[in-house]
Amino acid sequence: MNSQQPLLTGGEPRGTSGYLTSSSPADDVAEVASVAQPKGSATETFFHIVCITAGTGILQLPYALKQGGWVGALYIILAGAISAYTGNILIKCLYHKQGTRLRSYSEVVEAAFGRYGRAIARVLKDFNLLGVSGIFIVLAGININALLSGTVADSLGPQFWIAVSSVLVWLVIVMAREIHDVFILSVFGTLTTVATVLIIVWLGISDLEYMHVRPPTKLVDIGMAPMSLASICFSFGGNLNWPDLEASMQSPKRWNRTLALATAFIAFIYLCVALVGYGVYGDLVKSPVLLSLPPGIAIVVANAMITAHVLLACPIILTAVFIEAETDLNITSTTGSSTCERLYSILFRTAMMLVIAMTALFVSDFSKIVTILGAVAASMVVFVIPVACYVRLFQGQREFSVLEYAWCTLIVGVGLMCLFIGTSQALAKL
């Protein structure tokens, strides 16, 4: 696959508002590419976005409101708006040069800041995605071991289940060639998240009738506001996968609308959990919120749902990483025309999964190390770099209003704040 794909002639020029027009270059590229490989619908993309974004971070949201007060609900809306905006401008950057579409996040950075910028961004991006996947595997293994506590499988230990989780992820990874192939995982991953939200809301509201005195709450805590906003913003991270998802769509012109709907849905379920969790348990709420809920079978089910979600999200995240790496290595398994290419793809993905599994199993304090470096990587690649690339690539093509410059500055400021707070918190836990 060429690094830049020519567009069909006769298409209308791009808009400059950050939204692709109805007869956009994205559609023309999709029409050419769809001959070679299957494409997904906007519905599939919606589920992918929700599954990738709305993960375990949802359990920390009531505590984030405890830190910042009720105003934290506005932080959720702000973080959602930032997430949707950076997702839109990142895709717009793919089409910044008339007649071509860049393939990936890394190529966008290269177009804006050269090959050294690309190298730095690529390291940050891949470390973040691979590190998150490793943490998900560790979390799944620990949760499975806890769920089976008191059974005949209790003696196997968390290390065994981490290894089993790695094998399960590997099986999906080697079978899936494209994002389109893991659509069913996104559906079930989204359903597990919704089920967890319903359990939290139901148990929280049910617990109200047994409370004689409501725990105290506060409107705003200025001192803890930055930490509260940072925690919430990290729950909206996910735009590293957006170029791959947009490329997998039958109609890329529907990307902005699909992303907006998915982000609005995510913000809605986040608000449900945050408002119920903090409203019921107030400043006594714990993190994760499941620790504040009354024990019982519902909590066991919620933990099982979270475990299923991280296992389902892992292959989706890794598939996007491996597709870009295989393209760079000329392992073009996307064509499906060569047995050798498919074999090389399987060997490459197997080798990478072995590295992730061995690191998760045998590197001491793996989760803490990833959390520290991930705070730096996520803050830069999710917030700062997309805005910097957008301004750099389009500054000579269009006029930026004062309001847009202010909005971009706010996003960069939030990203740098998340970097400082996330790194500080991670170092404090060592």
Side-chain angles (χ1 to χ4, degrees):
M1 184 181 295
N2 295 327
S3 62
Q4 294 182 334
Q5 302 175 13
L7 303 182
L8 298 176
T9 58
E12 295 178 6
R14 294 183 307 275
T16 57
S17 64
Y19 292 86
L20 299 174
T21 59
S22 60
S23 56
S24 67
D27 262 354
D28 295 333
V29 171
E31 288 176 15
V32 174
S34 63
V35 176
Q37 61 190 44
K39 295 288 186 176
S41 65
T43 301
E44 290 185 23
T45 304
F46 174 91
F47 280 107
H48 286 318
I49 293 172
V50 175
C51 184
I52 290 172
T53 305
T56 56
I58 199 170
L59 302 180
Q60 324 300 326
L61 292 173
Y63 191 83
L65 260 65
K66 171 189 173 181
Q67 293 175 314
W70 283 110
V71 74
L74 298 180
Y75 298 162
I76 294 176
I77 297 173
L78 173 63
I82 290 175
S83 177
Y85 180 77
T86 56
N88 285 338
I89 63 174
L90 178 59
I91 298 304
K92 185 181 179 185
C93 287
L94 295 174
Y95 300 95
H96 82 281
K97 189 175 182 181
Q98 183 69 35
T100 60
R101 180 197 187 275
L102 301 178
R103 293 178 308 182
S104 64
Y105 185 103
S106 301
E107 288 191 357
V108 168
V109 181
E110 182 177 13
F113 298 105
R115 56 192 179 117
Y116 293 112
R118 171 179 177 150
I120 294 171
R122 181 69 181 272
V123 169
L124 291 173
K125 178 179 77 73
D126 287 354
F127 177 86
N128 185 60
L129 293 177
L130 294 173
V132 166
S133 299
I135 288 180
F136 277 5
I137 289 172
V138 171
L139 179 62
I142 293 173
N143 281 3
I144 292 173
N145 185 69
L147 289 169
L148 296 176
S149 178
T151 68
V152 292
D154 193 13
S155 60
L156 295 174
Q159 296 294 94
F160 174 81
W161 294 112
I162 291 173
V164 170
S165 299
S166 301
V167 171
L168 292 175
V169 172
W170 169 77
L171 287 173
V172 177
I173 283 296
V174 297
M175 289 188 293
R177 297 188 180 191
E178 295 293 328
I179 296 291
H180 173 74
D181 297 333
V182 291
F183 164 58
I184 192 65
L185 299 186
S186 290
V187 173
F188 282 111
T190 300
L191 292 177
T192 59
T193 299
V194 172
T196 302
V197 170
L198 292 175
I199 290 172
I200 293 171
V201 171
W202 171 56
L203 288 179
I205 294 176
S206 299
D207 216 17
L208 272 177
E209 62 180 289
Y210 300 105
M211 290 185 176
H212 300 292
V213 179
R214 294 282 297 278
T217 61
K218 51 184 174 288
L219 178 62
V220 61
D221 187 330
I222 299 298
M224 294 296 290
M227 189 169 293
S228 174
L229 177 58
S231 299
I232 291 169
C233 283
F234 279 126
S235 298
F236 278 93
N239 64 8
L240 299 180
N241 298 99
W242 294 175
D244 301 287
L245 293 185
E246 188 265 353
S248 72
M249 297 181 70
Q250 289 175 345
S251 300
K253 68 180 180 181
R254 301 181 67 182
W255 166 257
N256 288 336
R257 180 183 179 186
T258 303
L259 177 62
L261 290 174
T263 304
F265 177 75
I266 293 165
F268 171 72
I269 61 176
Y270 279 7
L271 284 169
C272 289
V273 171
L275 294 177
V276 171
Y278 187 58
V280 174
Y281 302 104
D283 291 336
L284 301 180
V285 72
K286 299 176 182 178
S287 178
V289 69
L290 295 180
L291 296 176
S292 296
L293 299 173
I297 187 63
I299 294 299
V300 175
V301 172
N303 278 313
M305 292 294 102
I306 289 296
T307 303
H309 176 88
V310 297
L311 282 176
L312 292 167
C314 235
I316 303 168
I317 295 171
L318 289 175
T319 297
V321 176
F322 293 159
I323 287 173
E324 182 178 355
E326 288 165 4
T327 303
D328 291 342
L329 295 171
N330 291 321
I331 306 174
T332 53
S333 63
T334 53
T335 62
S337 60
S338 171
T339 302
C340 288
E341 288 172 350
R342 181 62 179 149
L343 178 60
Y344 291 151
S345 174
I346 292 174
L347 291 175
F348 172 73
R349 297 185 183 199
T350 300
M352 290 299 298
M353 279 305 305
L354 277 174
V355 172
I356 294 172
M358 292 300 102
T359 304
L361 282 168
F362 299 114
V363 174
S364 103
D365 291 331
F366 167 74
S367 297
K368 293 181 180 179
I369 294 171
V370 170
T371 301
I372 295 172
L373 299 179
V376 177
S379 301
M380 293 300 294
V381 298
V382 173
F383 301 105
V384 178
I385 293 178
V387 172
C389 290
Y390 176 59
V391 174
R392 181 70 175 266
L393 293 174
F394 286 94
Q395 203 164 29
Q397 299 184 31
R398 49 158 299 190
E399 291 289 334
F400 284 84
S401 67
V402 174
L403 183 61
E404 191 166 10
Y405 270 128
W407 177 239
C408 290
T409 302
L410 173 64
I411 294 173
V412 171
V414 169
L416 294 176
M417 181 190 69
C418 290
L419 186 155
F420 174 76
I421 292 176
T423 305
S424 300
Q425 285 183 324
L427 288 172
K429 292 179 181 179
L430 287 180

